[in-house]
DNA sequence: TTTTGTGCAAATTCTTTGCAGACAC
DNA sequence: GTGTCTGCAAAGAATTTGCACAAAA
């Protein structure tokens, strides 16, 4: 459920403007990078890509800008034990399926029972969910297939 | 869904024995501590408690033993961005509801739609879930009530 | 006795912070 | 102009690791 990169970019920029943040060249470039990103890059990967175009950019700026966009709810942080990944292409909370074999991170979009789960939690515990983080570790289709082949 | 502490303790000890690990006094004490723990302590909290009884114990040993029990599937690690919590009282995967207001971590036991969600993910993506980690950040019942009272 | 576990301290790694200079507005 | 943002380097914090000694089997 990846939204249109151009729309994403415009949203990110306008969110920064709305909150009164300044549009520096590095922020604009990061917003663009996040909008077109397909995977789930970490701060270091975004830094390396951005540095090609802006050799003077620093990792600290990446973290600071990501924190800004995270606070605006425009970037999701996937918390992987000391290697946070950022999902800025799809701003809607969704499960992430992480293959323990190949490391791939798959977006679990269009899972119907998520809504039901949320309802059940909210009604059963009176808990108001603001930010779900659902990570499913396991084996992806391809890795299962290659394991089956071997044994 | 807290299981009987005594049963839990015996399970932890026998799992360590089965894998050929030695039963040192520190490991036995940690197993006991984990079995009776009500909340979701982090390594440092377990360390502080254990140090009362065993002043010579080290934090490294806590981490090493937790890793052992985690590998045996007897302890769940809740990955909270640089503050891992350990749930050893309830070895079955279950969601954790974390209140962003008071910090409380509630066990989301007996959520029926979890099974449905797992099935949907497995059938839709051909993904075999081995270890789900579902963390729901939000507002607990009590904090919602006190916010409502204020206005 | 032999192998595994332990404490200690240093190393590692991701992330945050303080500050003087740079830049958007 | 002025208040925010930046890079840099250093600080921070949780966890892991290497090694000589200690303890379990």
């Amino acid at each position: 459920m990846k939204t249109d990169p151009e729309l994403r970019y415009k949203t990110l920029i306008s969110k920064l403007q709305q909150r009164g943040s300044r549009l520096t060249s590095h922020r604009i470039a990061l917003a663009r990078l996040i909008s077109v990103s397909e995977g789930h890059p970490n701060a270091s990967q975004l830094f390396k890509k951005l540095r090609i175009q802006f050799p003077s950019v620093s990792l600290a700026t990446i973290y600071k800008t990501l924190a800004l966009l995270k606070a605006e709810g425009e970037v999701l942080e996937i918390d992987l034990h000391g290697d946070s990944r950022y999902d800025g292409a799809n701003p809607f909370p969704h499960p992430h399926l992480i293959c323990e074999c190949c490391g791939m991170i798959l977006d679990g979009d269009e899972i119907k029972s998520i809504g039901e789960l949320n309802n059940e939690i909210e009604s059963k515990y009176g808990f108001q969910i603001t930010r779900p983080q659902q990570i499913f570790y396991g084996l992806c289709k391809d890795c299962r297939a290659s394991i089956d082949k071997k044994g």
Side-chain angles (χ1 to χ4, degrees), chain A residues 93 113-133:
Chain A
S113 38
I114 288 278
E116 200 181 329
L117 177 62
N118 290 358
N119 289 340
E120 202 177 336
I121 287 174
E122 304 218 339
S123 67
K124 186 171 176 117
Y125 296 101
F127 188 88
Q128 183 185 337
I129 299 169
T130 56
R131 191 162 48 91
Q133 175 162 284

Side-chain angles (χ1 to χ4, degrees), chain A residues 10 12 15 47 61 63 83 101 113 125 135-136 146 149:
Chain A
K10 284 182 180 160
L12 297 183
K15 275 292 176 75
F47 172 56
T61 295
Y63 277 112
D83 179 30
C101 177
S113 38
Y125 296 101
I135 301 176
F136 294 89
S146 58
K149 221 182 286 173

Side-chain angles (χ1 to χ4, degrees), chain A residues 54-103:
Chain A
F54 297 89
S56 74
V57 76
S58 76
L59 192 51
T61 295
I62 307 287
Y63 277 112
K64 284 168 188 168
T65 305
L66 286 172
L68 229 57
L69 292 169
K70 208 170 62 175
E72 288 297 318
E74 291 300 323
V75 161
L76 295 178
E77 183 172 1
I78 312 169
D79 198 356
L80 304 188
H81 213 81
D83 179 30
S84 283
R85 307 306 191 88
Y86 298 90
D87 189 335
N90 176 358
F92 308 103
H94 55 276
H96 288 101
L97 318 184
I98 304 181
C99 181
E100 290 182 310
C101 177
C102 68

Side-chain angles (χ1 to χ4, degrees), chain A residues 38-55:
Chain A
E38 291 285 342
H40 303 83
N42 60 23
S44 172
Q45 290 166 333
L46 292 168
F47 172 56
K48 279 174 191 153
K49 280 203 179 177
L50 219 58
R51 205 166 41 171
I52 297 169
Q53 205 185 341
F54 297 89

